């Protein structure tokens, strides 16, 4: 390491690790090298071996780069299981009738009180009306019930389920869940409706082999640890926290806890990370060291500190095993174990080399982990701490004092500094993946980490071990440890309430992320004046906090562009009007306590379109599938006006929407018939009807929908909300020829009792867009409605099938549409 704060970057393993990672990236995004590349790599290795005394440094570097690059490329290709065939001997895998599948439970099942999930390693399948056959696929199974306690990882199961392939992303900018599952070699999903459709069985034809059963041991221990936590007499809220830090099970955690930890900057404390492993090893090492020092014989004959470190390593291995040996846990174990091994073999100084070795080992074991946020953030944080550790140490040495105050405050100040370094090192990655950053992390970590890692985690692990011999003692240790969790829960809830602690930011481009780390490297490695350092530091902040130039230099549009967003079972439409006026009509879809369609679908799409503010939001009516994603959008895109139908807020969720609008400074307006919502150049958005102004108590909320029309040269679109058949007739009588359109958004998602038939007859559109999920095809759209449209030669476009679709107008006033997501492009290719 250094003199005067300069870092010595002698790290021979850095180049192999970087080349190996580059090969993995090239396989995912660029090309797959042929099999003989491995042979070529071997030849290069031999060349390197026999020329080690004559080859130049540059030649060596090029050979090392080529070898590890090729091996990384081929390794990822062979690590990924192939996608299942589109059909299997006439049995379609997607949208099929229910089949019976036999297999083994692969992991510890999860259940959050409403829904459950588990992974089945399928062995056999019997499609309806067909013979049983071999079927070796991993299936992510979802349930509405909790599996019986007798079913554990390794148990053979029979299930009745319909298989489906995970859908491609339907909206640009959103999370690619299909790729996430594929990285875990899962290419199929299934849904089990009732307990009667699942049972355990014993296969006498295929007796278990000891080694095969051993493969289930980590998940079996994880499952039993979860059951032991369930039996403790603590609140379900704290049970969810305990499972998160001991077994890595976050599916059962209360959503508000997760939200508080995110806002307070302590979410990394909930995931089993290298910090958990390191702090646990530190605590265990200190305890073992104190115990061993009590023996004079051991102290005089053996290296006590190294023995303590080795025993701590064993505790870490036990912790990783109880946690199910999941990929993030193994990564954390390898990183922390590498540091301990370096200390044991007297090589503690080469921290960067150890970090590079850990990266090589992790990527060799699980190459797809390179693409996970946890991997990237873990290595960025550790690398940042290593790089700045010497600077921190030198500053502490300069201020060294033996005063009591200094001794008390020094560890706290050091922890805050390390937390700040980790925050800055991971900031671009955090914003890129999660779109937010909390400046409270340096304050949260020093106080919450000891509560969790030095108190609750050791007592929880001890409680698990003691519960084997003495359940009463184990339960007592769990209860004692729960006080630390309760304190951490209260602390993060308090910090999360600070109004400016967490900041939602537009995700930076890869170029900006690269520029951030290059500037940080310049700041670290190059001598510079304080003025230069200050300028670079400010520029680093601006790189992340200020949207890219594309948000300000966006090309002006002369005609509107309309995108029907794939948001699941709901509706959301973006109007990009001339003059950079952006309007969102509705913003609700498939949602749960753990999934906000505004945060996870609409906002990423708006950022992808380089949109930072909205001129207006229109809520056609007060049903959740039209507004439940808008609270996040209102807070972060600051619309000037909210247009609503004037319904009294009957639900807390809708009250929160209106309250968010007031806080954001938006004006809430109720239009009347012929109100102009927006007029931008040749484009005009108008409220057509006064259906929403009727006061009848028997009137349904659907029939109080705002009915809108967008008019522009070559583009006329009707947005009728969810109005039903009777009110469709009422609308037609009042508006008549004003309802002509090129595009009709199907009312009530194309349901049987909507005004769809009447409006199609009157408006005579070329296209009917149905905003609905692909899961409810029997209802949205109604199959008879779809057949009727086909007979009339009207193109029906369903967002559940085509994903988000955009309609544009050419210079000669001709309308065209195109899918803009991988799901839509795949569907269009199938159509052709």
């Amino acid at each position: 390491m250094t003199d005067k704060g300069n870092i010595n970057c002698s790290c021979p393993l850095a180049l192999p690790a970087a080349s190996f990672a580059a090969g993995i990236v090239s396989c995912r995004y660029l090309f797959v090298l042929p099999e003989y590349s491995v042979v070529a790599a071997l030849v290069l290795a031999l060349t390197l071996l026999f020329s080690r005394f004559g080859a130049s440094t540059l030649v060596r570097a090029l050979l090392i780069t080529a070898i590890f690059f090729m091996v990384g490329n081929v390794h990822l290709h062979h690590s990924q299981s192939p996608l299942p065939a589109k059909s299997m001997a006439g049995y379609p895998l997607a949208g099929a009738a229910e089949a019976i599948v036999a297999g083994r439970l692969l992991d510890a099942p999860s259940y959050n009180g409403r829904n459950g999930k588990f992974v089945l390693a399928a062995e056999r399948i019997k499609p309806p009306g067909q013979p049983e056959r071999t079927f070796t696929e991993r299936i992510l199974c979802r349930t509405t019930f909790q599996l019986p306690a007798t079913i554990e990882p390794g148990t053979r199961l029979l299930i009745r389920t319909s298989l489906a392939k995970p859908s491609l992303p339907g909206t640009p900018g959103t999370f690619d869940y299909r790729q996430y599952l594929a990285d875990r070699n899962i290419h199929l999903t299934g849904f089990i409706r009732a307990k009667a459709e699942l049972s355990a069985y014993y296969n006498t034809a295929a007796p278990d082999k000891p080694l095969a059963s051993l493969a289930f041991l980590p998940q079996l221990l994880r499952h039993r640890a979860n059951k032991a936590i369930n039996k403790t007499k603590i609140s379900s809220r704290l049970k969810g926290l305990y499972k998160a830090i001991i077994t890595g099970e976050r599916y059962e955690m209360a959503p508000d806890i997760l939200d508080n930890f995110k806002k307070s900057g302590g979410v990394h404390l909930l995931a089993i990370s290298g910090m958990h492993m390191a702090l646990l090893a530190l605590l265990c090492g200190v305890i073992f060291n104190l115990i061993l020092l009590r023996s004079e014989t051991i102290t005089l004959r053996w290296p006590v500190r190294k023995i303590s470190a080795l025993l701590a390593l064993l505790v870490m291995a036990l912790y990783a095993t109880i946690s199910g040996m999941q990929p993030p846990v193994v990564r954390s174990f390898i990183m922390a174990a590498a540091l301990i091994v370096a200390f044991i073999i007297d090589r503690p100084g080469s921290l960067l080399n150890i970090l590079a070795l850990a990266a090589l080992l992790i990527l060799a074991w699980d190459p797809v982990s390179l693409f996970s946020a946890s991997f990237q953030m873990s290595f960025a944080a550790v690398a940042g701490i290593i790089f700045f550790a010497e600077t921190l140490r030198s500053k502490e040495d300069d201020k060294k004092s033996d005063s009591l105050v200094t001794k008390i405050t020094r560890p706290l100040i050091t922890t805050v500094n390390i937390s700040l370094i980790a925050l800055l090192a991971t900031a671009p990655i955090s914003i890129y993946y999660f779109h937010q950053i909390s400046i409270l992390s340096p304050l949260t970590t020093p106080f919450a980490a000891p509560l969790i890692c030095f108190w609750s985690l050791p007592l929880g692990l001890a409680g698990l071990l003691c519960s084997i011999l003495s359940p009463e003692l184990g339960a007592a240790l769990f209860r004692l440890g729960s006080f630390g969790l309760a304190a951490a829960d209260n602390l993060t809830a308090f910090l999360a309430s600070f109004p400016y602690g967490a900041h939602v930011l537009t995700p930076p481009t890869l170029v900006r992320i690269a520029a951030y780390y290059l500037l940080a490297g310049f700041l670290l490695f190059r001598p510079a004046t304080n003025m230069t350092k200050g300028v670079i530091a400010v520029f680093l902040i601006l790189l992340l906090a200020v949207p890219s130039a594309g948000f300000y230099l966006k090309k002006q549009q002369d005609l509107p562009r309309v995108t029907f967003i794939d948001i699941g079972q709901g509706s959301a439409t973006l109007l990009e009007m001339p003059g950079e006026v952006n309007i969102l009509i509705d913003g609700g879809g498939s949602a749960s306590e753990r999934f906000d369609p505004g945060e996870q679908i609409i906002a990423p799409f708006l950022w992808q379109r380089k949109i930072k503010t909205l001129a207006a939001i229109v809520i056609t009516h007060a049903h959740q599938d039209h507004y439940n994603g808008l609270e996040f959008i209102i807070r972060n895109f600051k619309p000037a006006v909210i247009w609503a139908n004037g319904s009294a807020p009957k639900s807390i969720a809708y009250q929160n929407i209106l309250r968010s609008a007031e806080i954001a400074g938006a004006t809430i307006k109720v239009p009347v018939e012929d109100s102009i919502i927006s007029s931008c150049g040749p484009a005009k958005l108008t409220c057509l009807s006064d259906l929403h102004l009727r006061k009848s108590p028997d009137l349904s909320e659907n029939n109080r929908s705002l009915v809108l029309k967008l008019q522009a040269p070559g583009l006329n679109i009707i947005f009728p909300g969810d109005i039903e058949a009777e009110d469709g007739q009422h609308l037609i009588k009042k508006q008549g020829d004003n309802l002509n359109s090129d595009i009709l958004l199907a009312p009530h998602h194309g349901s049987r009792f909507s005004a769809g038939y009447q409006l199609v007859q009157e408006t005579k559109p070329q296209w009917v867009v149905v905003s609905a999920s692909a899961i409810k095809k029997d209802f949205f759209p109604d199959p008879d409605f779809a057949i009727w449209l086909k007979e009339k030669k009207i193109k029906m476009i369903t967002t559940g099938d085509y994903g988000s679709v955009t309609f544009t107008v050419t210079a000669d006033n001709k309308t065209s549409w195109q899918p803009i997501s991988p799901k839509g492009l795949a569907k269009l290719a199938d159509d052709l």
Side-chain angles (χ1 to χ4, degrees):
M1 289 251 191
T2 116
D3 283 329
K4 299 180 181 180
N6 295 322
I7 303 293
N8 177 8
C9 284
S10 175
C11 181
L13 289 179
L15 183 59
S19 303
F20 194 69
I24 293 172
V25 171
S26 69
C27 179
R28 169 65 62 86
Y29 298 111
L30 299 176
F31 51 81
V32 177
L33 292 173
E35 299 290 334
Y36 57 78
S37 297
V38 178
V39 178
L42 179 60
V43 172
L44 285 172
L46 292 174
T47 303
L48 179 63
L49 176 66
F50 288 109
S51 64
R52 66 181 184 276
F53 297 110
S56 67
T57 303
L58 177 61
V59 172
R60 291 176 186 276
L62 291 175
L63 287 172
I64 290 173
T65 300
I67 291 169
F68 282 90
F69 181 89
M70 288 186 287
V71 172
N73 185 289
V74 174
H75 181 49
L76 178 64
H77 179 60
H78 281 278
S79 298
Q80 296 176 317
S81 65
L83 288 169
K86 186 175 181 180
S87 64
M88 182 184 63
Y91 174 64
L93 293 179
E98 291 186 338
I100 297 175
V101 181
R104 299 186 73 164
L105 181 60
L106 198 58
D107 65 346
S110 305
Y111 183 71
N112 62 16
R114 296 180 60 185
N115 304 107
K117 65 177 183 177
F118 62 88
V119 177
L120 185 77
E123 298 169 342
R124 308 284 296 176
I125 186 172
K126 187 185 183 307
Q130 297 184 31
E132 181 182 329
R133 67 193 71 175
T134 301
F135 186 66
T136 54
E137 288 289 343
R138 288 187 178 186
I139 305 171
L140 176 63
C141 300
R142 298 190 180 277
T143 68
T144 57
F145 56 88
Q146 186 172 16
L147 267 62
T150 54
I151 294 180
E152 297 184 322
T155 303
R156 282 192 167 88
L157 299 176
L158 278 176
I159 64 171
R160 182 186 295 275
T161 183
S162 56
L163 300 177
K165 290 188 293 186
S167 177
L168 287 164
T171 303
T174 56
F175 179 64
D176 190 345
Y177 188 61
R178 183 179 186 178
Q179 185 63 61
Y180 171 82
L181 292 179
D183 286 344
R184 287 145 185 81
N185 290 328
I186 299 172
H187 303 295
L188 295 171
T189 61
F191 181 67
I192 305 170
R193 293 176 176 82
K195 288 184 179 181
E197 296 180 337
L198 178 148
S199 64
Y201 79 103
Y202 179 71
N203 187 355
T204 56
D208 291 338
K209 297 178 181 179
L211 291 179
S213 299
L214 189 62
F216 294 96
L217 180 61
Q219 286 295 331
L220 180 62
L221 292 177
R222 180 172 180 248
H223 177 60
R224 292 184 177 176
N226 284 334
K227 289 202 297 184
I229 294 172
N230 283 335
K231 292 178 181 177
T232 58
K233 294 182 179 179
I234 58 178
S235 69
S236 58
R237 184 179 183 85
L238 296 182
K239 287 178 184 177
L241 262 175
Y242 245 138
K243 290 178 184 178
I245 66 168
I246 292 180
T247 68
E249 178 57 81
R250 293 170 62 176
Y251 187 69
E252 302 179 21
M253 190 187 307
D256 65 304
I257 291 181
L258 184 59
D259 190 52
N260 288 337
F261 271 85
K262 284 181 180 178
K263 290 179 179 177
S264 64
V267 70
H268 58 285
L269 299 174
L270 298 179
I272 299 176
S273 63
M275 184 184 72
H276 288 73
M277 290 286 185
L279 293 180
L280 180 64
L282 175 62
L283 178 63
C284 292
V286 170
I287 293 174
F288 290 139
N289 195 64
L290 291 175
I291 294 173
L292 293 175
L293 285 175
R294 296 180 66 85
S295 171
E296 184 177 346
T297 302
I298 295 177
T299 303
L300 294 175
R301 298 185 59 182
W302 301 97
V304 172
R305 294 178 64 188
K306 291 185 178 181
I307 294 175
S308 300
L310 184 60
L311 293 174
L313 183 61
L314 296 177
V315 174
M316 290 166 53
L318 176 63
Y319 179 29
T321 305
I322 291 174
S323 301
M325 299 297 285
Q326 302 169 92
V329 177
V330 175
R331 289 200 299 269
S332 303
F333 174 72
I334 290 175
M335 289 182 66
L339 294 174
I340 291 180
V341 170
F343 169 73
I344 293 174
I345 64 175
D346 295 321
R347 297 292 299 274
S350 52
L351 293 179
L352 289 177
N353 239 8
I354 294 170
L355 188 65
L357 174 62
L360 277 172
L361 292 174
I362 292 168
L363 294 178
W365 176 74
D366 181 29
V368 298
S369 64
L370 178 64
F371 306 105
S372 69
S374 61
F375 177 93
Q376 296 167 18
M377 292 182 71
S378 295
F379 276 89
V382 175
I385 292 170
I386 290 174
F387 280 133
F388 283 95
E390 190 67 25
T391 302
L392 290 177
R393 191 180 298 116
S394 64
K395 288 184 177 181
E396 287 181 1
D397 291 341
D398 292 341
K399 299 178 181 179
K400 191 170 182 179
S401 170
D402 294 327
S403 68
L404 179 61
V405 174
T406 302
K407 289 180 179 180
I408 294 174
T409 59
R410 184 183 298 158
L412 181 61
I413 294 173
T414 300
T415 305
V416 170
N417 286 333
I418 290 175
S419 300
L420 181 60
I421 290 170
L423 173 68
L424 296 175
T426 59
I429 303 171
S430 178
I431 298 171
Y432 181 81
Y433 285 106
F434 309 115
H435 311 146
Q436 71 173 359
I437 188 171
S438 174
I439 60 175
L440 297 174
S441 182
L443 182 62
T444 304
T445 301
F447 293 100
L451 293 172
I452 292 175
C453 298
F454 286 161
W455 183 260
S456 299
L457 179 58
L459 287 173
L461 291 175
L464 283 177
L465 296 177
C466 291
S467 63
I468 300 173
L469 300 176
S470 174
E472 294 79 11
L473 177 59
L477 291 173
F478 269 120
R479 287 194 297 273
L480 188 60
S482 69
F483 293 119
L485 294 181
D489 183 18
N490 292 328
L491 172 66
T492 54
F494 171 71
L495 294 175
S497 65
F498 287 16
Y500 301 107
H503 296 269
V504 175
L505 299 171
T506 56
T509 63
L510 296 179
V511 172
R512 287 158 67 87
I513 293 175
Y516 179 93
Y517 286 116
L518 286 174
L519 280 173
F522 179 85
L523 183 64
L524 180 65
F525 295 117
R526 300 284 296 181
T529 64
N530 290 335
M531 176 66 73
T532 303
K533 291 179 180 180
V535 171
I536 293 176
V538 170
F539 194 69
L540 286 173
I541 295 172
L542 293 178
L543 267 176
L544 299 182
V546 179
S548 61
F551 281 81
Y552 302 100
L553 303 177
K554 192 178 172 187
K555 184 179 178 181
Q556 294 285 327
Q557 296 176 188
D558 296 325
L559 292 171
R561 178 168 62 173
V562 179
T563 300
F564 297 92
I565 303 172
D566 179 15
I567 198 166
Q569 188 56 44
S571 183
T573 307
L574 174 67
L575 310 185
E576 295 172 89
M577 307 282 274
E580 298 302 309
V581 174
N582 302 300
I583 299 172
L584 184 67
I585 300 177
D586 288 331
S590 301
S592 68
E593 290 181 331
R594 303 167 189 274
F595 183 84
D596 181 346
E599 180 179 1
Q600 291 162 285
I601 297 179
I602 301 176
F605 175 65
L606 294 178
W607 287 322
Q608 195 267 346
R609 279 287 171 91
K610 302 291 187 283
I611 293 172
K612 64 182 186 299
T613 59
L614 291 169
I617 290 176
V618 181
I619 306 174
T620 58
H621 61 292
H623 276 169
Q624 287 204 0
D625 61 339
H626 288 254
Y627 70 70
N628 62 13
L630 289 179
E631 187 174 356
F632 183 88
I633 299 301
I634 291 170
R635 286 201 313 265
N636 295 286
F637 290 85
K638 309 297 182 186
V641 182
I642 305 291
W643 294 90
N645 68 350
S647 291
K650 297 178 181 178
S651 69
I652 295 176
Y654 195 58
Q655 292 174 19
N656 291 338
I657 295 290
L658 300 181
R659 188 178 300 114
S660 296
E662 293 176 359
I663 293 172
T667 303
I668 301 175
K669 295 183 178 181
V670 179
V672 298
E673 186 174 348
D674 296 329
S675 290
I676 297 176
I677 305 296
S678 177
S679 181
C680 307
K684 182 171 66 173
L685 181 65
T686 308
C687 177
L688 288 182
S689 77
D690 59 0
L691 298 176
H692 59 287
L693 298 177
R694 294 173 294 174
K695 302 298 183 182
S696 171
D698 298 329
L699 198 65
S700 70
E701 184 63 22
N702 281 343
N703 285 326
R704 299 191 71 234
S705 297
L706 298 179
V707 180
L708 311 175
K709 182 175 183 179
L710 175 66
Q711 295 172 282
L715 186 67
N716 291 282
I717 308 178
I718 300 290
F719 304 93
D722 279 358
I723 64 170
E724 297 171 3
E726 182 178 344
D727 286 279
Q729 292 292 351
H730 179 80
L731 178 66
I732 290 169
K733 287 178 182 179
K734 292 199 67 175
Q735 292 296 327
D737 294 338
N738 198 27
L739 290 175
N740 67 301
S741 66
D742 306 297
I743 304 154
L744 172 68
L745 178 62
H748 202 206
H749 321 286
S751 70
R752 176 175 299 180
F753 303 107
S754 73
Y757 291 97
Q758 295 91 333
L759 290 181
V760 169
Q761 290 278 27
E762 184 67 24
T763 61
K764 299 178 177 58
Q766 297 181 49
W767 298 276
V768 171
V769 178
V770 180
S771 183
S773 168
I775 298 175
K776 297 186 176 182
K777 287 186 175 181
D778 292 340
F779 304 98
F780 306 109
D782 175 57
D784 292 337
F785 182 60
I787 294 171
W788 183 71
L789 289 175
K790 187 174 183 180
E791 291 173 348
K792 286 186 165 292
K793 297 183 179 179
I794 296 174
K795 176 66 175 177
M796 185 182 75
I797 302 169
T798 305
T799 57
D801 291 332
Y802 288 92
S804 298
V805 294
T806 294
F807 284 83
T808 54
V809 182
T810 61
D812 55 354
N813 292 337
K814 291 185 178 179
T815 306
S816 64
W817 73 280
Q818 63 177 350
I820 57 173
S821 68
K823 178 165 73 172
L825 295 173
K827 170 63 175 171
L828 197 61
D830 288 343
D831 292 346
L832 297 175

